[in-house]
Amino acid sequence: MLASLLTLGLAAAPPPDYDAAAYERCLARLESHAAGQGISRSTFNAHVRGVEPDTSVLALLDQQPEFRTEIWDYLAGLVDGERVEDGKAMLARHASTLARVEEAYGVDPETVVAVWGVESDFGGTFGKRPLLQSLATLSCMGRRQAFFRGELVATLHILQDGDVRAGDLVGSWAGAFGHTQFMPSTYRRIAVDFDGDGRRDLVGSIPDALASTANYLKRSGWQSGQPWGHEVKLPAGFNTSLAGRTSRRPLSDWIDLGVTRVDGMPIPRADTRSALLLPAGREGPAWIVFRNFDAIYSYNAAESYALAIALLADRLRGKSGPVAPWPTEDPGLSRAERRELQRLLIARGHDIGEVDGILGSASRAAVRAEQERLGMAADGRAGKRLLRALAVPAPGL
Ligand code: CA
């Protein structure tokens, strides 16, 4: 959840000051609020009493994206060769668990592994912020205190139930954590103990995490054995105002409108509920999507996010990416290419911190400087064109 936020370039503001006495009073109120929800005094005292606020999360709560990330850049980083290879390795390594998960929840291994890959890079990136500190801060300061109070109480229930150790509770600034990056309230509703040790542990147990992901999709209306969608071609003059995930029609309507599959397979004349997705408008790839796409969408409420998972799952099934090209002459960069770009920026003297494949504000500033030097539009967006230009050694390097 909230994975899409992590991939955007975001401008950070300095942490605001806070009123220590008001924070203490808030913690006292939180204790009685939590007690009313079944949290014991000892649980509260052990985990929240004395927790210092981390006001840097308030800046993250209010930040705005630095600029719009194009869909092809977003997908180039999430559905890249590395994630496909890692995903195939995970399919093999956890084959028996995934088969049991499919039997129990009806969700295929490729979809479950694709969610895992996009949410936490198969357990590689959980987030680093202490959850209780972030949630205590956000429960007492900022503009969504009631929401975060609910998440704090849910976290305390997870601890009180003995599902997760307190030391394992690190995650995103907003509280998503573990292999599946569930928010604590989602965790309480959806997480399952699949390895049978009596604990629902989405940090320490991969079987619990994979089964919980499948359980989430099942509860979101997953239809076993059905496709998420098909890439399609539109006839000339097609009325694109019919597109949109929530503009659902019977599948036979699209046939009548002249829509065909790019792979030449027939579209069945059925009343299956379906919608047309044009993520980059008329000129980019088009998909007819079904109910399973909506189930994936519900995980993070972003179409780009759902498409990343759906396309990664297809790649794990051995299919290729979209047939139609994205409407750009300067395609986006994979994570390996982003790391290469960062190494080239460092070689040219830019102080951008670690080579991590994440193009944050320091990398963007360096990209702008190089674009200016090269006579390109200085928009801070890095594509293959800039990478190629920088790969040519500069004089004196
Ligand atoms: Ca377990």
Side-chain angles (χ1 to χ4, degrees), residues 72-214:
W72 47 87
D73 286 335
Y74 177 81
L75 292 175
L78 280 175
V79 189
D80 62 8
E82 264 175 283
R83 214 178 304 265
V84 173
E85 288 313 304
D86 292 345
K88 286 180 177 169
M90 293 302 167
L91 281 173
R93 189 180 305 168
H94 302 287
S96 66
T97 301
L98 288 161
R100 285 193 299 119
V101 165
E102 183 169 23
E103 202 179 304
Y105 300 98
V107 185
D108 61 282
E110 290 82 3
T111 300
V112 171
V113 167
V115 173
W116 187 22
V118 169
E119 284 295 334
S120 70
D121 198 18
F122 314 106
T125 52
F126 282 171
K128 291 178 184 157
R129 289 176 179 270
L131 227 61
L132 290 159
Q133 186 181 33
S134 299
L135 292 175
T137 308
L138 292 163
S139 294
C140 290
M141 304 174 201
R143 58 185 171 79
R144 295 187 66 194
Q145 295 176 25
F147 169 76
F148 286 110
R149 271 199 300 278
E151 296 299 330
L152 179 66
V153 170
T155 308
L156 292 171
H157 273 290
I158 292 166
L159 288 167
Q160 191 165 275
D161 294 347
D163 283 333
V164 175
R165 281 172 285 271
D168 284 345
L169 282 176
V170 292
S172 78
W173 66 269
F177 71 104
H179 284 280
T180 55
Q181 295 286 293
F182 279 180
M183 289 295 284
S185 57
T186 306
Y187 195 112
R188 282 201 77 204
R189 274 190 305 120
I190 301 289
V192 294
D193 170 27
F194 202 65
D195 62 13
D197 71 348
R199 298 162 58 233
R200 306 186 298 165
D201 184 359
L202 304 193
V203 180
S205 167
I206 289 173
D208 287 8
L210 298 178
S212 298
T213 292

Side-chain angles (χ1 to χ4, degrees), residues 362-382:
S363 293
R364 302 274 179 206
V367 164
R368 271 187 218 101
E370 289 299 322
Q371 286 173 323
E372 224 158 90
R373 185 182 65 77
L374 292 160
M376 301 166 77
D379 58 5
R381 184 255 168 191

Side-chain angles (χ1 to χ4, degrees), residues 43-59:
T43 298
F44 189 89
N45 284 344
H47 301 295
V48 183
R49 175 75 59 219
V51 167
E52 294 284 323
D54 170 11
T55 54
S56 68
V57 296
L58 299 171

